[in-house]
Amino acid sequence: MPLYRDFSDDNATILVWKYEEDEDLNPDELLEPENAEKVKDYHPKKLLEVLMVRKLLKSLKPNSKILYKEREPFLSPKDAEISITHSFPFAAIAISRNKIGIDIEKFNPKIMRVIDKFTYENERGFIPADNEATFYTIIWSVKESMYKIHHSKHWSLKKHYEVKPFELKYLFDISCRVHDDQISDEFKARVKFFDDYCFTIVEE
């Protein structure tokens, strides 16, 4: 499995890999027994994504497992924070000393059909009309990354996750926040592009 991109920094190892058909991804070797029931009905491509993430983990921490609590992945033993994401043929993993969220999304104009589900009209004033799909994909992906750090089943990407105005030439320092009636936690997001995909990183 060849390394495709390395976005690591001083706090985290962040790796992206791309699937190749000659990859050896044996579920008996890679999948944790605790997750066998969870993946039994997965589409073959989704299962490949899961196995790619496990192979990435074994290259970094061969004695660790990825387990889940209320759908949120965590490392066992819990000696670091983890975030995972995949969109076939890509899979990525982040292992950090601090909370971290990563997300990968393919640029697709169909995102325009669902913008009301994750943004308010008053959030959209800075978005240029000739490049809306790109901006909305970035916003969606940043909010997904924040969710992985700071999530609740009672929160929505529309109501509780905010991405401040940004420009495409400044994608390394996007201001964003998670908020409700009690909290307002500020973050910075980094955004990378490759192969018509958007990759976002939010670190605590």
Side-chain angles (χ1 to χ4, degrees):
M1 182 185 283
L3 178 64
Y4 191 78
R5 292 286 190 278
D6 185 341
F7 298 124
S8 303
D9 59 26
D10 291 341
N11 294 317
T13 300
I14 306 166
L15 304 179
V16 182
W17 301 74
K18 186 175 182 180
Y19 177 73
E20 294 184 354
E21 290 189 3
D22 61 353
E23 294 290 352
D24 180 19
L25 296 172
N26 185 340
D28 294 332
E29 295 177 359
L30 296 173
L31 187 67
E32 306 86 354
E34 295 91 334
N35 292 322
E37 185 70 16
K38 175 182 175 69
V39 306
K40 69 176 184 176
D41 296 323
Y42 277 14
H43 185 279
K45 280 189 177 179
K46 187 172 183 181
L47 180 59
L48 283 176
E49 293 170 344
V50 169
L51 297 177
M52 288 166 69
V53 167
R54 269 61 185 180
K55 193 161 185 176
L56 274 168
L57 177 64
K58 286 195 176 297
S59 73
L60 298 170
K61 297 176 73 67
N63 297 317
S64 294
K65 297 179 179 180
I66 298 174
L67 302 179
Y68 294 86
K69 181 180 180 180
E70 297 179 353
R71 297 176 60 190
E72 182 181 8
F74 66 91
L75 276 180
S76 177
K78 199 174 190 314
D79 55 0
E81 300 291 340
I82 188 173
S83 184
I84 60 178
T85 186
H86 36 70
S87 180
F88 194 82
F90 293 103
I93 191 169
I95 295 176
S96 176
R97 66 184 73 176
N98 303 318
K99 281 274 194 180
I100 189 168
I102 60 172
D103 184 67
I104 185 169
E105 301 289 340
K106 186 175 179 63
F107 288 109
N108 189 328
K110 290 182 180 179
I111 197 169
M112 299 304 299
R113 302 176 185 174
V114 297
I115 60 173
D116 287 333
K117 292 185 177 181
F118 66 95
T119 63
Y120 286 108
E121 189 171 347
N122 60 9
E123 292 182 275
R124 307 170 191 167
F126 71 97
I127 296 175
D130 61 348
N131 205 7
E132 289 180 305
T134 297
F135 276 78
Y136 283 119
T137 301
I138 293 169
I139 291 170
W140 172 270
S141 189
V142 170
K143 289 188 176 188
E144 284 283 342
S145 289
M146 279 194 288
Y147 178 84
K148 292 176 180 180
I149 291 180
H150 212 321
H151 78 109
S152 164
K153 63 184 179 181
H154 303 295
W155 289 354
S156 76
L157 294 187
K158 183 171 183 174
K159 292 181 179 180
H160 302 107
Y161 299 83
E162 179 185 6
V163 179
K164 304 292 179 66
F166 61 89
E167 299 178 48
L168 294 184
K169 60 183 177 180
Y170 299 117
L171 292 178
F172 52 86
D173 199 26
I174 296 176
S175 296
C176 49
R177 72 174 181 137
V178 181
H179 61 97
D180 65 10
D181 292 339
Q182 279 80 43
I183 62 143
S184 179
D185 289 347
E186 307 282 334
F187 298 97
K188 294 289 186 180
R190 286 186 282 153
V191 180
K192 309 289 185 179
F193 295 162
F194 55 82
D195 280 26
D196 205 28
Y197 282 80
C198 170
F199 186 75
T200 61
I201 304 161
V202 176
E203 297 181 76
E204 194 173 59

